[in-house]
Amino acid sequence: MSTSERVRHPSPYETLALFIDGQWKTDAREGEEVFDPATEHAIGWLPHADDADVSAALAAAQRAFAQWRDTSAYERSRVLRRFGERVLETAADIAVNVVRDQGKPLDEALAEVRFAADHIFWHAEECRRIYGREIPSRDVRVQQRVVREPVGVCVAFTPWNFPFSQAVRKVCAALGAGCTLVLKGPEEAPSAVVALARALQEAGLPDGCLNLLWGRPPVLSARLIADDVVRKVSFTGSVDVGKQLAALAGRHMKRSTMELGGHAPVLVFADADIDACARALAVQKLRNAGQVCISPTRFYVERPAYVRFVDVFTEAMRSTRVGVGDEFGVQMGPLCHARRVHAMQSLVDDALAQGATLATGGTRLRERGHFYAPTVLCGDVSRARVMREEPFGPLAAVVPFDSVDGVIEAANALPFGLASYVFTRSAAHAQHTARRLKAGMVSVNHFGLALPETPFGGLHDSGYGSEGGSETFDGYLATRFITQFESLP
Ligand code: NAD
């Protein structure tokens, strides 16, 4: 690490560890290095779990479940509240480390951590409202009750793009419902998940309720999902991996929640405020360097506004300041790892070969670090792979449209169905498109997704199950029916 970088990072990078039954373990024999995506320098060493660690984590989660399931909702709520307070107290340290291993700008990292605290506080409140119900019986001497109980030990696999907040969502929902958890975080950006486990321990979470493992993802997921102790699987990540894990969960009759990729269409009608809309969409597009599952990715602009939109959007993308995440004024950092840079270049090369026009970008930046220029493709893009494959990077393809039915058909043509966006002043267009777009979430005239109190989830290849909103605990609860006659016959 160079002197200037050391000055930028006066505090040491997170000590990475396994966390099993309340004990931190750093002495594993195997592991891997963690790299700073801005410099490609190694910044930490991540220990991997061996089979004995996996068994110990599952046994601890099972033992802890016997206690935690009977801990009152009031007490579970108190633990979550203390967790949220601890997160806010340590937000700056967590965020600095997210910049180091994930790469996003410091402001975004801080916003991620603080917003995650908002999720924690909301789950702390909502877990006190997990109600059952009484069903009127056909005989006055019979009482019929429906109870909702925690399913048991859960396993969760969380991604590198929002390493803190994505893990927080799963952890809060599982613990709030009364389940215990074995969590495998993202090996690419592990510091935030270690900080999460420490904050929960400091908040008084009993040993074994949360266990943290690292390792080779396919090996760990196959081992964990197949284990008899596990009752529920939750995954956020790519469609391909999600399908593999869902199939594995199905083979072992485990419930699952799958938050997978998308390819969000944006419909911009000519009656919208085109300049404001183009600038706002550029900011959204480049948030987290485009590595966001609900990032706007396929831009359909009504033909009369197309040229103006491309001009303003391209200028906003081009003038975005790209750099190391904790440098002053940086608006977009590097991509998280080299795979994404290669994916960007491959999509751009393909689009140009298919006849698209490059409005800006199209190349990596700097000799070191996974930097890629904000990129706009326009013109004849319709045959390009980028219109079918989620870019998951700072790449936008903009095409014109001529009819409402035509654009809805184009937007719905892919197997994904996560987020979609519409910009229009017409109430009729807004209502019609919101009803017809095949997506788990539709946001009209703003970007209003992923709040703690609103459900987040997709349709079709984008997965199933919701995180957030009053649906948040559904995947972690089993419904049971109890019927009781007032006396022995
Ligand atoms: P990738 O397919 O190489 O890896 C995706 C992630 O899945 C990695 O973190 C990897 O460790 C993990 N993984 C791979 N095989 C696994 C297995 N068998 N069990 C458990 N985990 C496994 O892709 P990438 O370049 O790292 O990420 C880009 C893709 O990932 C995008 O297409 C995007 O859709 C998806 N993604 C989605 C989200 C989301 O929020 N839905 C978040 C991150 C990544």
Side-chain angles (χ1 to χ4, degrees):
M1 202 180 260
S2 74
T3 312
S4 63
E5 280 150 15
R6 253 185 250 127
V7 171
R8 279 205 334 264
H9 300 316
S11 62
Y13 179 67
E14 180 69 75
T15 303
L16 304 172
L18 306 163
F19 182 58
I20 300 170
D21 205 11
Q23 304 297 313
W24 293 95
K25 184 175 172 182
T26 53
D27 61 347
R29 271 178 300 153
E30 295 200 359
E32 65 188 290
E33 283 186 315
V34 176
F35 294 92
D36 179 340
T39 63
E40 299 181 52
H41 290 151
I43 51 174
W45 193 79
L46 183 68
H48 282 187
D50 60 20
D51 201 60
D53 294 322
V54 177
S55 298
L58 288 166
Q62 192 178 26
R63 267 196 313 277
F65 180 62
Q67 306 287 321
W68 187 246
R69 62 173 298 161
D70 291 335
T71 300
S72 70
Y74 182 77
E75 178 55 23
R76 293 201 299 263
S77 170
R78 273 163 50 104
V79 171
L80 287 180
R81 260 205 323 274
R82 284 198 298 264
F83 171 39
E85 285 155 10
R86 198 65 199 120
V87 165
L88 285 181
E89 284 158 17
T90 53
D93 293 337
I94 301 172
V96 164
N97 283 325
V98 167
V99 175
R100 287 181 206 176
D101 60 18
Q102 199 276 342
K104 66 182 65 176
L106 183 58
D107 285 351
E108 281 191 31
L110 259 177
E112 176 184 344
V113 177
R114 291 185 179 139
F115 195 47
D118 201 359
H119 275 267
I120 298 169
F121 291 127
W122 187 84
H123 279 80
E125 294 167 21
E126 196 68 6
C127 76
R128 295 171 64 185
R129 302 186 188 112
I130 296 174
Y131 302 125
R133 69 184 193 278
E134 178 151 344
I135 298 176
S137 71
R138 298 178 178 203
D139 181 329
V140 70
R141 293 164 300 173
V142 171
Q143 188 190 42
Q144 303 184 128
R145 279 186 300 138
V146 177
V147 293
R148 296 168 80 214
E149 294 180 350
V151 293
V153 174
C154 305
V155 291
F157 305 94
T158 58
W160 47 261
N161 59 339
F162 291 94
F164 194 70
S165 62
Q166 298 273 18
V168 156
R169 284 166 171 240
K170 295 191 193 304
V171 166
C172 286
L175 294 176
C179 296
T180 58
L181 195 65
V182 177
L183 171 64
K184 189 202 82 62
E187 283 75 18
E188 297 90 342
S191 64
V193 178
V194 172
L196 177 158
R198 194 174 46 243
L200 263 167
Q201 186 179 37
E202 289 165 357
L205 184 73
D207 292 349
C209 288
L210 173 70
N211 304 275
L212 178 58
L213 299 178
W214 307 102
R216 289 188 39 230
V219 175
L220 274 186
S221 55
R223 166 79 171 82
L224 287 167
I225 294 171
D227 199 287
D228 285 345
V229 163
V230 171
R231 301 291 0 133
K232 149 102 193 178
V233 179
S234 183
F235 172 74
T236 298
S238 63
V239 173
D240 284 350
V241 175
K243 284 183 176 177
Q244 289 168 34
L245 300 193
L248 201 54
R251 195 178 315 148
H252 295 279
M253 198 48 74
K254 311 286 169 80
R255 299 160 184 264
S256 56
T257 299
M258 294 286 148
E259 296 283 356
L260 309 179
H263 201 337
V266 188
L267 279 49
V268 180
F269 286 87
D271 63 11
D273 180 338
I274 297 300
D275 288 14
C277 181
R279 288 192 203 100
L281 278 163
V283 172
Q284 281 301 313
K285 174 69 248 179
L286 297 183
R287 188 170 151 249
N288 202 8
Q291 303 166 116
V292 183
C293 55
I294 57 170
S295 181
T297 44
R298 290 179 290 151
F299 291 71
Y300 297 98
V301 181
E302 204 171 13
R303 198 172 294 275
Y306 183 72
V307 171
R308 179 70 190 170
F309 181 92
V310 170
D311 285 351
V312 178
F313 182 68
T314 300
E315 186 45 37
M317 294 279 279
R318 187 188 289 125
S319 59
T320 298
R321 188 162 166 208
V322 181
V324 180
D326 56 3
E327 280 171 6
F328 183 73
V330 162
Q331 295 164 302
M332 187 184 107
L335 302 186
C336 183
H337 49 61
R339 295 194 298 279
R340 300 291 349 126
V341 177
H342 299 311
M344 289 308 98
Q345 201 56 58
S346 161
L347 287 171
V348 169
D349 293 346
D350 167 77
L352 297 180
Q354 301 286 343
T357 303
L358 189 63
T360 188
T363 52
R364 64 180 301 161
L365 302 171
R366 302 189 179 196
E367 289 197 354
R368 282 196 86 82
H370 308 310
F371 293 95
Y372 200 85
T375 299
V376 179
L377 292 163
C378 58
D380 193 3
V381 198
S382 52
R383 288 185 311 278
R385 255 171 50 218
V386 68
M387 292 305 285
R388 302 185 299 278
E389 281 178 32
E390 180 189 26
F392 221 66
L395 172 53
V398 192
V399 293
F401 74 85
D402 295 301
S403 79
V404 182
D405 287 344
V407 76
I408 291 174
E409 192 181 328
N412 288 347
L414 299 186
F416 307 104
L418 191 58
S420 56
Y421 303 91
V422 180
F423 291 87
T424 180
R425 285 196 174 96
S426 154
H429 285 338
Q431 212 174 59
H432 183 63
T433 51
R435 214 175 36 238
R436 296 269 309 280
L437 281 170
K438 185 192 74 184
M441 297 168 284
V442 182
S443 187
V444 182
N445 288 335
H446 78 147
F447 305 97
L449 307 181
L451 300 165
E453 61 274 21
T454 61
F456 185 100
L459 306 177
H460 309 296
D461 271 11
S462 294
Y464 42 75
S466 292
E467 293 184 335
S470 52
E471 291 81 0
T472 200
F473 298 115
D474 290 352
Y476 297 92
L477 296 169
T479 299
R480 296 179 61 229
F481 172 60
I482 299 169
T483 180
Q484 183 180 339
F485 196 77
E486 69 178 8
S487 62
L488 284 173

